[in-house]
Amino acid sequence: QVQLVESGGGLARPGDSLKLACAASGRTFSNYAMGWFRQAPEKEREFVAGITSRGGRTYYADSVKGRFTISRDNAKSTVYLQMNSLKPEDTAVYFCAGRLLGSDTYNAWGQGIQVTVSS
C-alpha cells in the first residue's frame, strides 16, 4: 500500500491561493490514479479533483472547476492541488487519496490537512 502525506495547508484570505502537496512512498506511484477530497465540519467527505496515473486526464468537482488545478510529478512521487481564488466555503480538511490501477475505489489515504479561508 502506498503511504501518503499532505503538506501546504493553512490559513488564507478569500481570493488568496494555496498549493497543497501530497508525497507518496512505499509503492510505485505511477501505478496509482490520485485524487483530492475534502471534508468540512459536519459535512460528508466530497471529491474535489482527480488525475490519472500518468497525468493525462484530470477531473474536477463543479464547485472548484476553473479555480483549482490538480497535477502530478511521477519522478517525485507527488501530487499537487493548486487552489486559486479561495472562498470561505473551501474551508475543510483536505485529503489526498490513491486508487491502484484496476481498482474501483480509492484505497490509500493521507491523514488530511486543514485549509481555512477566512477574512
Side-chain angles (χ1 to χ4, degrees):
Q1 193 73 286
V2 67
Q3 286 80 51
L4 304 173
V5 178
E6 301 96 338
S7 62
L11 177 64
R13 296 186 182 277
D16 281 355
S17 297
L18 281 177
K19 187 173 184 176
L20 304 182
C22 174
S25 62
R27 287 290 186 266
T28 303
F29 183 64
S30 58
N31 287 342
Y32 286 79
M34 298 299 296
W36 286 96
F37 292 75
R38 66 186 182 187
Q39 187 167 17
E42 301 183 358
K43 291 189 176 181
E44 293 188 356
R45 188 161 52 189
E46 65 176 359
F47 171 80
V48 175
I51 188 167
T52 52
S53 61
R54 299 193 185 277
R57 284 187 292 179
T58 57
Y59 309 87
Y60 297 94
D62 287 343
S63 59
V64 306
K65 204 171 292 184
R67 299 188 298 122
F68 290 11
T69 302
I70 188 171
S71 62
R72 66 190 295 161
D73 185 340
N74 283 356
K76 296 182 178 179
S77 297
T78 303
V79 62
Y80 304 96
L81 186 68
Q82 177 68 47
M83 304 185 293
N84 298 332
S85 302
L86 283 164
K87 303 176 181 180
E89 51 262 46
D90 294 319
T91 295
V93 176
Y94 283 72
F95 300 86
C96 73
R99 178 169 57 82
L100 186 62
L101 293 179
S103 174
D104 292 333
T105 60
Y106 286 90
N107 48 20
W109 292 86
Q111 81 285 355
I113 192 162
Q114 179 70 45
V115 171
T116 302
V117 184
S118 174
S119 55

